[in-house]
Amino acid sequence: MRKRIAGVSFLTLATLLSIPTTTVHHDEIKTVESQQQDIVQTSSESRFNIPSDQVPISLVDTIDGDTIKVKVNGKRETVRYLLIDTPESKKPDMCVQPYAKEAYVRNNELVKSGRLTMELEQENTRDSYGRLLAYVYEDGKSVQETLLKEGYARVGYIMNPPYKYLDLYRDDESLARRNKLNIWSRPNYVTRWGFSGCVQY
């Protein structure tokens, strides 16, 4: 009887030893956990809640303080910011105006720092040059408002009112004017039609 039990025990032990075992090391567990975390983070970053009246755009180039080139629905477009005007630096037959380069630099910083969307006005979608006229947002924050509040732009080109954000933009402009920021720091520089003066080298 003992021989029989010993034989069965030996057979069981041999069977167990023949089964391949998988050793999971601590480093491998950490790698799997890290990959899972990356997937969760990526999927959460890809979820960008865009308001129904806005469309996603991707930046191609910054032209100046109030104009950018973008891709929208796979097509390249030039977008001119609605309702604002910044000093000129690249207009043919025109001098470089004070704060033009600063407005360009600030605009470039804004549009390169996050996800971009744009919003159109129903009655004002293109200008006479064929450029899209739009409100532009960086991670949901208005680029136009930032430029106005920081004194790099004035409210302008009110061609076909009403506009959704005209009153808001005028408030932003007033705030910068009261604080004499940038374009508002030079007496008589901002005019009803644009800007007066050139950069002196």
Side-chain angles (χ1 to χ4, degrees), residues 41-66:
Q41 188 175 355
T42 303
S43 67
S44 117
E45 285 174 354
S46 65
R47 286 196 301 268
F48 177 46
N49 293 328
I50 299 174
S52 59
D53 54 358
Q54 295 178 25
V55 294
I57 56 177
S58 57
L59 182 70
V60 174
D61 192 21
T62 305
I63 304 302
D64 56 23
D66 52 33

Side-chain angles (χ1 to χ4, degrees), residues 101-120:
K101 289 185 177 177
E102 291 86 344
Y104 161 77
V105 168
R106 186 63 179 122
N107 183 33
N108 192 48
E109 287 172 353
L110 291 169
V111 295
K112 282 187 171 178
S113 62
R115 297 178 181 90
L116 294 180
T117 57
M118 72 175 185
E119 177 184 358
L120 303 174

Side-chain angles (χ1 to χ4, degrees), residues 1-200:
M1 183 72 176
R2 276 186 188 172
K3 284 185 182 178
R4 189 174 173 188
I5 291 170
V8 170
S9 298
F10 179 79
L11 185 62
T12 304
L13 181 60
T15 305
L16 289 171
L17 288 173
S18 68
I19 296 172
T21 58
T22 304
T23 305
V24 179
H25 296 289
H26 182 66
D27 290 344
E28 291 175 5
I29 292 172
K30 282 181 75 175
T31 303
V32 171
E33 287 175 351
S34 174
Q35 287 173 347
Q36 288 174 340
Q37 193 173 357
D38 288 345
I39 291 167
V40 170
Q41 188 175 355
T42 303
S43 67
S44 117
E45 285 174 354
S46 65
R47 286 196 301 268
F48 177 46
N49 293 328
I50 299 174
S52 59
D53 54 358
Q54 295 178 25
V55 294
I57 56 177
S58 57
L59 182 70
V60 174
D61 192 21
T62 305
I63 304 302
D64 56 23
D66 52 33
T67 312
I68 55 176
K69 280 189 185 294
V70 303
K71 261 191 179 179
V72 53
N73 297 325
K75 184 182 176 185
R76 285 193 177 207
E77 292 274 9
T78 300
V79 174
R80 175 70 168 76
Y81 297 165
L82 260 170
L83 295 181
I84 73 163
D85 182 30
T86 61
E88 298 289 348
S89 62
K90 298 180 179 178
K91 198 168 184 178
D93 304 321
M94 191 173 215
C95 65
V96 175
Q97 296 178 320
Y99 296 101
K101 289 185 177 177
E102 291 86 344
Y104 161 77
V105 168
R106 186 63 179 122
N107 183 33
N108 192 48
E109 287 172 353
L110 291 169
V111 295
K112 282 187 171 178
S113 62
R115 297 178 181 90
L116 294 180
T117 57
M118 72 175 185
E119 177 184 358
L120 303 174
E121 282 276 7
Q122 290 184 349
E123 301 299 323
N124 301 275
T125 57
R126 291 194 184 268
D127 66 7
S128 58
Y129 299 102
R131 300 176 297 187
L132 276 176
L133 297 171
Y135 304 108
V136 175
Y137 301 87
E138 171 265 317
D139 284 343
K141 186 177 180 182
S142 169
V143 174
Q144 274 109 310
E145 274 206 88
T146 300
L147 293 170
L148 287 165
K149 285 177 181 176
E150 294 180 4
Y152 292 110
R154 71 178 186 99
V155 173
Y157 297 103
I158 305 163
M159 311 298 281
N160 191 18
Y163 291 91
K164 290 185 226 179
Y165 305 116
L166 181 56
D167 290 340
L168 177 64
Y169 286 5
R170 280 180 168 151
D171 289 343
D172 295 332
E173 180 189 69
S174 294
L175 181 66
R177 185 168 58 240
R178 282 198 306 271
N179 291 313
K180 297 183 178 178
L181 298 177
N182 294 311
I183 62 173
W184 303 104
S185 65
R186 296 171 65 98
N188 305 316
Y189 175 53
V190 183
T191 72
R192 186 178 175 187
W193 308 111
F195 304 93
S196 174
C198 299
V199 174
Q200 300 298 323

